[in-house]
Amino acid sequence: LASLADKSLVVPDQERAQTHYRLLETVRQYARDRLEKGRGSAALRGRHRDYYLALAEEANPKLKSAEQAEWLRRLEEEHENLRAGLEWSLVEAGSEGGLRLCGALQRFWWTHGHLTEGRQWCTRVLCKAGAEERTRERAYVLNAAGALSNYQGDYPAAKALHEESLAIRRE
């Protein structure tokens, strides 16, 4: 990393006692293009999403605890990676990863005021082919979308989403 930083290929971001590194936008785009042209891109993107899915699922219960501020900060720092994971979930064949990631991020979106973004991700994941199966994960995302709709004052949409979520849970 030090060598890459010396060559201005990565930029250190110092926050508190931690240093995070980020790629310059042009370098990131070049690397992404090279990755997508090479073999193994799907596997790499899947592992990336799975890592951030595990982070979001670990954070979810802690967002209701005394550790909330720390976990909200961590998720905000990784927001772009979480978005990339959600984007990959829309492209890959299955729907479970995207459903689980949306479900795990609901409280983060609500608490940090990302209501519109969260609602859009939920809608996109719920509309994905294969996501219509009436699973526990789908019910959880319907409930998340309903809660986000409610916080935005869209009560008719919230009611419909919550009712569908409840119908699945009763089955």
Side-chain angles (χ1 to χ4, degrees):
L1 273 175
S3 174
L4 292 173
D6 289 342
K7 295 173 188 163
S8 298
L9 295 173
V10 296
V11 178
D13 283 333
Q14 187 73 30
E15 184 166 317
R16 295 188 189 161
Q18 287 186 312
T19 301
H20 292 272
Y21 292 88
R22 64 179 173 81
L23 291 172
L24 295 172
E25 185 60 25
T26 53
V27 175
R28 190 186 67 74
Q29 294 247 335
Y30 174 76
R32 177 181 237 164
D33 291 345
R34 294 285 306 204
L35 176 65
E36 289 180 3
K37 289 178 183 171
R39 286 183 272 161
S41 172
L44 184 61
R45 289 181 77 182
R47 285 195 310 270
H48 176 272
R49 191 276 319 280
D50 291 346
Y51 176 86
Y52 287 98
L53 170 59
L55 178 71
E57 288 181 334
E58 180 183 357
N60 190 29
K62 295 178 180 179
L63 295 178
K64 300 178 233 172
S65 75
E67 300 173 77
Q68 181 186 50
E70 174 63 23
W71 281 94
L72 285 170
R73 185 192 58 74
R74 265 184 90 180
L75 292 176
E76 194 64 52
E77 285 176 356
E78 299 298 348
H79 203 167
E80 285 302 318
N81 283 311
L82 294 164
R83 287 177 178 133
L86 285 162
E87 200 63 54
W88 174 246
S89 295
L90 295 172
V91 174
E92 71 172 344
S95 61
E96 183 184 349
L99 289 168
R100 286 175 53 203
L101 191 49
C102 277
L105 290 173
Q106 171 200 350
R107 187 168 294 273
F108 164 70
W109 287 325
W110 168 66
T111 307
H112 267 225
H114 301 299
L115 303 176
T116 300
E117 178 183 4
R119 195 171 163 192
Q120 288 171 344
W121 281 117
C122 289
T123 300
R124 291 176 71 192
V125 167
L126 287 167
C127 291
K128 182 182 178 209
E132 66 277 346
E133 188 177 338
R134 298 172 72 77
T135 63
R136 181 176 59 90
E137 290 82 10
R138 179 177 176 81
Y140 195 63
V141 175
L142 286 164
N143 187 62
L148 293 167
S149 298
N150 184 59
Y151 297 136
Q152 289 186 308
D154 188 351
Y155 304 120
K159 181 181 181 208
L161 290 160
H162 285 306
E163 285 174 351
E164 186 178 350
S165 175
L166 287 170
I168 293 172
R169 290 178 187 196
R170 288 186 190 127
E171 293 176 355

